[in-house]
Amino acid sequence: MPMYDLTIIIPTFKEEANIAAIIREVDTVFSKNAINGEILVVDDNSPDRTIPIVRELQQTKPNVRLVVRKNDPGLSQSVVEGFRKAQSDILLVIDADLSHPPSHIPRMLAEIRAGNDIVIGSRYMKGGGIQKWPLKRRIISLGATFLGRLLFPEIHDPVSGFFAVKKSVVEGAPLKPRGYKILLEVLGKGHWKTAKEIPFEFVDRAVGSSKLGPETIIDYAVQVIDNARYSWNHHDSIVWQEWKKLFKFGMVGLSGIVVNEGLLIYLKEYVQLALPVASIIAIELSIMSNFILNDLWTFGADQGEHALGSGWQRFASFQFVSVGGAAINFVILNVLAAWVGIDYRIANVLGILVAFLWNFVVNRRVTWKKQKY
Ligand SMILES: Nc1nc2c(ncn2[C@@H]2O[C@H](COP(=O)(O)OP(=O)(O)OP(=O)(O)O)[C@@H](O)[C@H]2O)c(=O)[nH]1
Ligand SMILES: [Mg+2]
C-alpha cells in the first residue's frame, strides 16, 4: 500500500517569497477535503531561503518532503525526479508561485479516481484563462500550444504546468526531461488512454522572478520534433493515431483526384456537357466522395462520438473547408507564379500541399471534432 493518496510535486528554484504560502494552501486543501496527501518539494539547490523555509515547515508538517538536487538542474528534470520519489500512486504537479490555484486539487484527484489517466488544468478552454500576461508571453504561449496541438488535437492545453497523472502512466516511460514542458513529454511517451481537462484561471506570479529565457523556445521545438519521431516507432502512442489519420486523409485525397478526373472525362465525352459545367459537377462529386470516405474510414466510428452530431452538419463543414482549401491553393499558385516568379507547376504543388494541411487540420479540429463532455 502506498503511504499517501496523492503526492503534490512542487518544483522550485528561488521561491523564498512563495514556498511557505503554497505549502500552507495545499495543506489546508488536504485537511478540508480529508485527503491523505504528501507535499514533495523538488528544489534545484536554490541559493535563497527556499530550502531553510521548507525545512522549518517540516518541523510541524510530517507530510512535507524536500529533495535538494545538485546535478542537472531544470524544471522538467525536477518534476521527473519527483515522479520517482513520490510515495503514492497519483502525482500532481503544481507551480510554487501560486499561479495554479490549489483549490482545484480535489477535483483533479476525483477525476483521476473516476478513471482518467491524466487530468490537466487547462488555461485554453471555456472557463479557463490567464490573468495579466503581457502580449509577448501570450503569443509565445499560444505558439507553443499550437505546436503541441498538432500532436494532440484533442487537448486544449498540452503544455500546462498544472496536471495530475497516475504513476503507472510515467513508470517505465522513456521520458527525456528537458526544458519547461514536461506535460508534453508525459503525453507523448507515457502509457495513457484517457485524459480530461478542467478549466482554471492562471494567475501571474506576484513575487519572485521568472526564469523563462529564449533557449526554452528552442528546447521546446526540439521536444516537439522528438515526440513526433518517438511516435513513429511506438505505434501504441496517441500521436501515432494522428499520423494514421493524416495518412488516411491523404489516401482519400488521392482517391478524390481519380474520381474528379474520371467524372470530368465521362461528363465531357459521354454526356457531352460543356467543360465548366462538367468540371463543377466533377469537383463537387469528388468532394462528396472524399467526405463519405473520411467520415466512414479516416474519422470512422472507432474514433468515438462526433461533436457535430449529424452527418449533414459534418458535410456542410467539410464543404466549407474544401472551398477554403481551393482558395488557398489558388492564391498561393497565383501569388508565387505571378509575383515571386516561381515556375507555375512548382507553385501549384506548394499550393496543393498547403491546402492539404489546411484541410486536414481544420477538418480534424472542426468537422470531426470529438464529443468530449
Ligand atoms: N527545480 C526547479 N524548479 C524550477 C526551475 N525553473 C523554474 N522552476 C519552478 O517551476 C515553476 C514554474 O516556473 P516559473 O518561473 O514560475 O515559470 P512560468 O510560470 O512559466 O513563468 P513566471 O511565473 O512568469 O515566472 C516554479 O515553481 C519555479 O520555481 C528549475 O530550474 N528547477
Ligand atoms: Mg510561474
Side-chain angles (χ1 to χ4, degrees):
M1 273 293 281
M3 297 244 320
Y4 295 98
D5 299 338
L6 169 70
T7 300
I8 304 290
I9 297 169
I10 312 179
T12 55
F13 188 66
K14 295 203 272 183
E15 295 286 3
E16 63 180 10
N18 297 306
I19 189 64
I22 180 84
I23 289 178
R24 288 211 184 88
E25 278 198 34
V26 170
D27 214 35
T28 308
V29 168
F30 283 170
S31 11
K32 279 198 182 141
N33 296 275
I35 296 170
N36 174 26
E38 168 187 37
I39 299 174
L40 181 55
V41 177
V42 189
D43 185 81
D44 266 329
N45 208 10
S46 296
D48 66 354
R49 289 195 30 82
T50 307
I51 294 171
I53 292 170
V54 177
R55 293 217 199 285
E56 201 179 312
L57 284 164
Q58 285 182 303
Q59 307 298 319
T60 52
K61 297 183 191 298
N63 61 337
V64 174
R65 274 169 72 212
L66 171 66
V67 173
V68 178
R69 303 178 73 245
K70 299 275 165 68
N71 298 312
D72 188 23
L75 171 52
S76 291
Q77 292 90 319
S78 302
V79 171
V80 169
E81 183 149 351
F83 289 163
R84 279 202 298 273
K85 302 234 158 107
Q87 303 178 85
S88 79
D89 292 336
I90 301 175
L91 319 167
L92 191 152
V93 184
I94 191 169
D95 282 358
D97 58 6
L98 304 167
S99 288
H100 303 148
S103 55
H104 291 284
I105 291 172
R107 165 103 195 270
M108 293 167 86
L109 175 62
E111 293 290 359
I112 291 277
R113 285 179 168 157
N116 292 292
D117 297 320
I118 302 179
V119 178
I120 301 169
S122 180
R123 297 163 295 176
Y124 298 119
M125 67 188 292
K126 207 163 158 243
I130 297 173
Q131 286 175 9
K132 290 191 289 195
W133 254 13
L135 187 65
K136 186 176 153 214
R137 277 206 71 175
R138 277 180 202 272
I139 291 172
I140 291 175
S141 176
L142 281 174
T145 307
F146 173 78
L147 271 184
R149 284 188 192 170
L150 290 179
L151 301 182
F152 307 102
E154 305 291 346
I155 294 178
H156 296 87
D157 196 351
V159 292
S160 175
F162 191 24
F163 62 94
V165 59
K166 286 182 187 161
K167 199 187 212 165
S168 57
V169 171
V170 292
E171 245 164 5
L175 303 178
K176 269 199 215 161
R178 107 207 88 198
Y180 258 57
K181 309 300 187 191
I182 184 62
L183 175 58
L184 192 91
E185 199 69 14
V186 171
L187 290 168
K189 296 175 186 165
H191 317 290
W192 63 281
K193 288 269 176 288
T194 48
K196 167 111 186 173
E197 282 181 281
I198 60 168
F200 85 101
E201 185 90 22
F202 185 98
V203 189
D204 200 9
R205 68 159 69 241
V207 269
S209 62
S210 176
K211 295 113 202 161
L212 196 83
E215 68 285 354
T216 45
I217 297 176
I218 296 172
D219 270 349
Y220 177 65
V222 171
Q223 190 189 1
V224 170
I225 293 166
D226 177 64
N227 274 276
R229 195 194 48 76
Y230 175 86
S231 69
W232 205 254
N233 306 317
H234 294 82
H235 296 179
D236 53 345
S237 66
I238 299 285
V239 178
W240 181 252
Q241 307 299 322
E242 287 309 308
W243 288 117
K244 273 204 327 209
K245 289 193 184 102
L246 181 68
F247 175 76
K248 289 178 171 182
F249 196 81
M251 298 309 287
V252 170
L254 289 179
S255 83
I257 294 177
V258 177
V259 171
N260 188 339
E261 180 80 1
L263 278 170
L264 182 71
I265 294 169
Y266 173 77
L267 293 172
K268 172 105 177 50
E269 302 296 329
Y270 298 93
V271 189
Q272 312 224 315
L273 294 179
L275 184 60
V277 179
S279 162
I280 292 263
I281 296 175
I283 289 174
E284 184 52 37
L285 288 177
S286 67
I287 290 178
M288 287 180 180
S289 76
N290 279 3
F291 172 76
I292 291 169
L293 290 173
N294 280 321
D295 203 54
L296 294 176
W297 185 51
T298 314
F299 304 102
D302 57 320
Q303 319 290 334
E305 296 260 306
H306 298 298
L308 291 183
S310 87
W312 290 112
Q313 279 173 325
R314 293 198 292 281
F315 178 65
S317 170
F318 184 76
Q319 176 80 48
F320 215 70
V321 176
S322 301
V323 172
I328 287 172
N329 187 346
F330 178 86
V331 170
I332 289 181
L333 162 61
N334 285 285
V335 167
L336 290 185
W339 293 354
V340 188
I342 293 178
D343 185 291
Y344 75 93
R345 286 159 294 196
I346 295 172
N348 193 34
V349 170
L350 291 174
I352 291 171
L353 279 178
V354 176
F356 173 74
L357 288 179
W358 151 272
N359 282 342
F360 179 74
V361 171
V362 181
N363 280 312
R364 172 73 183 85
R365 298 274 306 273
V366 179
T367 310
W368 285 285
K369 186 177 157 61
K370 245 202 259 174
Q371 183 75 55
K372 286 212 74 176
Y373 304 104

